[in-house]
Amino acid sequence: MMRSLPWRRAPLLAPLLCALGSAHAGTVTVEFLHPESYTDVHVEGDVNVQVLQPLAQGLKRLGQRLPADQTLAIQVSNIDLAGDWRPPPRLGLDVRVMTPASWPRIDLHYQLKDASGRDLQAGDAEIKDMGYQDSITTLIDSTPLRYEQKMLRDWFNRTFPDPGP
């Protein structure tokens, strides 16, 4: 008698897992107010592509776990990236120096609404991570904006706890 291997059951679970995943799909909109006046978004190249779009995409991904009938509007008023930008002494690449005193900070206003447009939650947040260099996950992560993305993920998890399936 041949025994069914557990991995063979995976195709049977796929529709169930998809149904659970689609139980949440809130909408998140992100607006950057006057990015030219932000404290620090200096990067080599296009600021929209290298800083603003990745931060907006990260917030939109986090919003996927909100209930489908909820909309979260976020207005970012200031960004101070982790580290300090130092102009190179000679022609070359920009240099960002990470020190314990140069933690990331993002100021924003958020408003969570239900399908009828009723406010569920709103507020202003000054999000900062003074221990941004202390996390194991950021030590093994080499992606740009890893400190800012982790900081936003932590804020999102505290502000909008997962309601569960």
Side-chain angles (χ1 to χ4, degrees):
M1 177 161 117
M2 186 175 218
R3 228 174 123 172
S4 175
L5 299 173
W7 58 268
R8 287 189 176 180
R9 295 182 195 144
L12 300 174
L13 294 174
L16 176 63
L17 294 174
C18 288
L20 288 174
S22 64
H24 297 85
T27 304
V28 175
T29 60
V30 181
E31 180 182 5
F32 295 96
L33 306 175
H34 309 290
E36 68 280 357
S37 66
Y38 289 174
T39 301
D40 174 23
V41 290
H42 183 87
V43 291
E44 177 114 358
D46 186 354
V47 170
N48 284 323
V49 171
Q50 293 189 28
V51 177
L52 305 182
Q53 288 177 7
L55 291 177
Q57 290 167 352
L59 287 165
K60 289 177 182 183
R61 264 192 311 277
L62 290 168
Q64 292 292 309
R65 71 168 212 212
L66 293 171
D69 66 336
Q70 293 183 357
T71 302
L72 176 62
I74 297 175
Q75 297 173 325
V76 178
S77 58
N78 192 23
I79 296 175
D80 188 355
L81 298 175
D84 291 318
W85 177 79
R86 306 255 170 90
R90 298 188 180 164
L91 294 177
L93 296 175
D94 293 343
V95 177
R96 185 163 286 280
V97 178
M98 302 298 180
T99 64
S102 61
W103 56 81
R105 184 175 56 89
I106 297 177
D107 298 334
L108 57 81
H109 175 77
Y110 64 93
Q111 194 168 24
L112 181 65
K113 295 183 177 219
D114 64 11
S116 67
R118 184 176 53 114
D119 282 342
L120 299 174
Q121 191 174 344
D124 294 313
E126 182 183 319
I127 308 164
K128 57 187 170 188
D129 185 359
M130 295 167 68
Y132 75 102
Q133 293 179 311
D134 298 338
S135 172
I136 299 267
T137 56
T138 54
L139 286 175
I140 59 174
D141 184 0
S142 63
T143 58
L145 304 175
R146 63 188 167 274
Y147 302 114
E148 293 77 12
Q149 295 285 13
K150 180 196 174 298
M151 178 180 71
L152 287 171
R153 194 171 44 250
D154 292 346
W155 167 79
F156 195 93
N157 291 338
R158 282 189 314 271
T159 308
F160 310 104
D162 191 355

